[in-house]
Structure formats: C-alpha cells, structure tokens
Amino acid sequence: MRMEETEQKLKRMVEELWKAGPYKIILSNVRKAAPEEESSGRQYRKIVLNRLDTCWQAEKYTDRQVFHENLPEDKVEAYVQNALSAGFRQCSAWDGEWEQTIRISKGRKISSQRKRTAQAPKEKREHNRKKHYILEEGTVIPPLQDMGIFTAEGKVVRSMYDKYRQINRFVELIDDEIDSLPKDHPVTVIDFGCGKSYLTFILYYYLVKVKGLDVRITGLDLKADVIERCNRAAETYGYEGLHFELGDINGYDCPYPVDMVISLHACDTATDYALYNAVRWKAKLIFSVPCCQHELNRQMKGENLPILTRYGIVQERTAALMTDAVRGNLLTACGYRTQLLEFVDLSHTPKNILIRAVRAVIPGSVKQKARLEVEELKNTFGFRPTLDGLLFPDRQA
C-alpha cells in the first residue's frame, strides 16, 4: 500500500475511534528510533491520554521518567494521528462500553478491532477537587453569555474555559481585598481606559450581584463609538450604576470620593497618570496592568551595569520590570500596601504583571526605604520616571 493511502486509512480509523467519545487512549509499541530521530515524539515508549473535566492530560513515559502535558480537546484527535504516523504501532481507546484498537505492523499494514470490554480502565478524575469559582457555572451572567463564554443556560463553553478561568482570576484578585471598601456610602469605581469593558461589566456584576454592594462605576475611554456601545450594553443589562464617559486619564476629575481605581493596559505613561489620580483621590484599592512601558527604556543608561543595556531585548524587558518595581515602591511610599502579581488577561499580551495596592498604615521607615530604593535606581540608570515627578515634584532635580 502506498504511503499516502496508508496515511489516509490511518486517518479514517482515528476519526472513527474519536467519534466514539473515548475517555482514555493509550499509545504504545513504539518502533525503535534512529539516532537522528531522538528529538521527535519517539523517545517516549508509551503515551497515556486521559480525559479530564476541562481538557485532556497526556502522560508521556520514557524508560525512567514520566512527563505531563495538558491538551485542549480539539487537539487530541490530531495528536493521536501524529503519534501513530511518527512511530507508535498501537493505539487502544475506551469509551466505557467498547475497546477500540488500531495496530500498525512493521510493514505498515494497518488493522483495527472493536470489542466489548468487561473490565475497562477507570476514568481518571482531576488530581484536586473541582475548583470553586466566584463566578459559578450554571449562573446566568449576561456579559459572559455575550462574550461567548457561557451558554444561554449558564454553562461554560468548553473551548472558552481558559478565558473563564482568567476572568475568575481577575475577580479573585479583587475579592481578596474587598473588605477594604467602605460600607457607609456607595462604592465609587473608576476604570481608566476601559476599552470594550468586558471586565468592567464582570466587575459590576460581581460587586452588585455577588457581594450585594451599592456601586457606581464609571468607565473612561477616548473612543466615542466604544463609549456609546458600552452605555447601550449597560442599559440592556439593567446595570443602573454603570456608565461610560468620553475622556482622558490625564486631567480627569470625579465629583465623588473614589474608592477603587482600575487601569488595564493604559499605554506607557498613561498608567502613571492613572496611579497618580488614584493616590491623589486617596482611593482605597488600585488594580493596574501596565502596558507598553517605553519611557525608562528610552532613558536607560548602563554605565555601571552595561550588560543590561548591551542587548536590546534584555534592556527592553529590564526597563519594563524596573518600571513596575518603581511604581510599586512609589505607591508604598504614598501609604499603600503594594503587591506585583502575575496576571494573564483576556488579550493574551506578554504584559502579565498586575499591580495591586491597598491604602493602609505604612510605617515611616518602610516609606523612606521605598523612596531611597527608587532614588538609587534612578541614579544608577539615569531614570526620570513620570510617576515619581507627579507624586514628588519637589524632589525632582
């Protein structure tokens, strides 16, 4: 049989196997790899694929070790096809009632078998108990439905589980500090650079529907069409305490005491103006995911540490990290308990640091040390950070 015909037959058999809805697949009997093939999948002597709640897990066995990899469900069929093409000679799959087996002989002759099994392998469950999410599956949440993450019945669309987890992670980061918000007046939240406002709508739902707070949220953006569309959506959802305005972060003022400031992906120094306003208003909570941090990269001088400026990509990443470190220290110096946390958001950008700051009683010695560390970094690299100039204009050279 020609190679093309063999591959087509193998493809059809894998398709039939996959249509049966298996929960466990074992790839085994791998042919010995030639030395030049050691970098391919054939270094594994067996691969066990288990269906879990939200994905498939591949357990890949060598002679001495086992490696794990999680696979989206829509990638598993192709994974099995590629593994059989690459050198595995047997594939067994179980669907609870039937065992299906594909075998490939040394001469590349392909055969399949399907039989009832009285002793099928047990279905593997998640290693830990199913995680309890703040935004629970089975709840009707209109913004999540419009985003395509929930079905009309409130079920998570399988291919959207990653986004579902990311959104819950964002809410969890806020939930950790929710007790810092006032109880004696409506909670005022400003979302700078709200964009399409997916997370703004989720935040309103969480604060009002889950936590039962009296909330007024204002989303601010520079795009008139975005503001109009978001206001229509808020009206459709019946979110009376949520509205959107056309405006710039720099120079914006709020008629109410501000309790929380959110700034997701305000570009470059726009983040600094958002943080400055938050400090100026004495906001209780600040959540910021910076973006496009070019300022310090342009200013960076490396006479003392030239290794950090010799390579462009290293300088760029170093400058971005130092930008956020400076912002964290400056917030500490202004009376905030500040953390820099990992956060991968819906836009999948490489900017995955979230600044979380909570207004608190910070000892004077801690504030002083935070300022001193910023000054040392400025002197070492010739920085003049915008946020430093906004918050401490009297200390600028």
Side-chain angles (χ1 to χ4, degrees):
M1 185 181 295
R2 292 184 305 172
M3 182 66 70
E4 291 182 6
E5 293 176 350
T6 300
E7 289 299 320
Q8 286 299 318
K9 183 177 181 180
L10 181 61
K11 185 174 184 296
R12 288 194 299 271
M13 288 184 176
V14 173
E15 287 176 352
E16 288 300 317
L17 178 147
W18 184 248
K19 286 178 182 178
Y23 65 85
K24 189 181 190 74
I25 301 172
I26 297 179
L27 296 156
S28 59
N29 192 19
V30 64
R31 71 174 174 84
K32 186 177 180 180
E36 66 273 11
E37 296 174 332
E38 287 297 324
S39 61
S40 73
R42 287 187 287 273
Q43 74 264 35
Y44 301 114
R45 60 181 180 82
K46 181 174 72 171
I47 298 177
V48 179
L49 296 160
N50 289 288
R51 185 181 63 197
L52 303 181
D53 288 338
T54 61
C55 64
W56 282 69
Q57 185 181 75
E59 299 173 348
K60 300 181 286 188
Y61 293 81
T62 66
D63 288 333
R64 297 183 178 181
Q65 293 176 289
V66 57
F67 299 89
H68 293 86
E69 178 185 3
N70 289 339
L71 302 170
E73 180 158 343
D74 60 358
K75 303 294 184 183
V76 177
E77 182 180 351
Y79 186 94
V80 172
Q81 172 75 35
N82 292 336
L84 291 172
S85 297
F88 284 94
R89 290 178 180 163
Q90 181 165 321
C91 171
S92 298
W94 291 265
D95 61 18
E97 183 179 3
W98 298 91
E99 176 186 353
Q100 296 192 83
T101 303
I102 299 174
R103 292 187 177 87
I104 305 173
S105 70
K106 292 182 179 180
R108 296 292 291 171
K109 183 179 178 181
I110 304 172
S111 61
S112 64
Q113 183 183 26
R114 182 171 180 264
K115 63 179 182 180
R116 289 188 183 275
T117 175
Q119 194 172 0
K122 292 182 179 180
E123 185 171 358
K124 185 173 181 179
R125 300 295 183 182
E126 300 281 6
H127 293 299
N128 303 314
R129 289 183 301 171
K130 187 175 181 180
K131 180 176 175 62
H132 172 71
Y133 290 110
I134 294 175
L135 305 177
E136 293 186 5
E137 185 175 8
T139 306
V140 177
I141 305 177
L144 289 181
Q145 292 173 327
D146 287 349
M147 292 169 67
I149 294 174
F150 272 12
T151 66
E153 295 76 29
K155 300 294 184 182
V156 179
V157 176
R158 185 175 292 276
S159 62
M160 301 296 280
Y161 254 102
D162 284 345
K163 291 188 183 297
Y164 173 61
R165 284 192 291 265
Q166 289 161 12
I167 288 172
N168 272 282
R169 175 59 176 156
F170 171 72
V171 175
E172 287 168 0
L173 290 170
I174 294 176
D175 186 70
D176 289 342
E177 303 293 348
I178 202 69
D179 290 339
S180 300
L181 293 175
K183 308 295 190 296
D184 58 345
H185 65 261
V187 175
T188 299
V189 181
I190 304 296
D191 185 356
F192 282 128
C194 60
K196 294 180 180 178
S197 305
Y198 295 135
L199 291 180
T200 316
F201 289 115
I202 297 300
L203 176 63
Y204 184 89
Y205 174 87
Y206 158 71
L207 292 175
V208 175
K209 305 296 184 180
V210 177
K211 303 302 291 187
L213 298 177
D214 184 5
V215 172
R216 52 193 172 205
I217 299 181
T218 300
L220 193 71
D221 202 88
L222 292 171
K223 298 177 181 178
D225 59 329
V226 169
I227 294 300
E228 183 180 355
R229 183 165 61 250
C230 289
N231 275 322
R232 285 200 306 268
E235 184 177 354
T236 300
Y237 298 149
Y239 292 177
E240 297 178 357
L242 174 60
H243 76 282
F244 299 86
E245 297 180 10
L246 189 66
D248 193 351
I249 293 174
N250 186 13
Y252 179 80
D253 213 347
C254 182
Y256 312 107
V258 177
D259 302 298
M260 183 191 305
V261 170
I262 296 174
S263 172
L264 304 181
H265 298 296
C267 192
D268 202 14
T269 57
T271 292
D272 298 308
Y273 285 100
L275 296 177
Y276 167 66
N277 278 334
V279 173
R280 181 168 63 91
W281 293 330
K282 296 181 171 59
K284 304 294 187 300
L285 296 176
I286 302 172
F287 298 90
S288 176
V289 177
C291 186
C292 307
Q293 295 135 305
H294 300 308
E295 182 185 40
L296 298 196
N297 188 30
R298 291 191 296 264
Q299 300 175 5
M300 193 170 176
K301 300 173 184 177
E303 286 85 353
N304 295 330
L305 293 168
I307 191 172
L308 296 179
T309 57
R310 180 170 297 122
Y311 310 102
I313 190 170
V314 172
Q315 176 173 326
E316 180 184 357
R317 293 180 182 179
T318 301
L321 290 171
M322 286 196 291
T323 299
D324 289 335
V326 165
R327 287 165 172 161
N329 269 38
L330 291 174
L331 289 173
T332 298
C334 289
Y336 283 85
R337 173 170 52 82
T338 308
Q339 297 170 286
L340 269 60
L341 306 168
E342 185 176 32
F343 173 67
V344 180
D345 82 346
L346 303 185
S347 52
H348 299 290
T349 73
K351 312 299 183 184
N352 61 346
I353 289 179
L354 180 141
I355 300 172
R356 182 171 69 184
V358 182
R359 191 165 181 80
V361 177
I362 306 297
S365 58
V366 175
K367 293 181 181 180
Q368 185 177 2
K369 182 180 179 182
R371 277 291 309 162
L372 180 61
E373 290 173 349
V374 171
E375 290 300 319
E376 290 175 345
L377 201 62
K378 285 166 57 180
N379 294 334
T380 300
F381 291 98
F383 289 155
R384 290 296 178 266
T386 292
L387 185 59
D388 190 39
L390 291 170
L391 294 174
F392 301 98
D394 55 324
R395 299 190 184 185
Q396 301 308 300

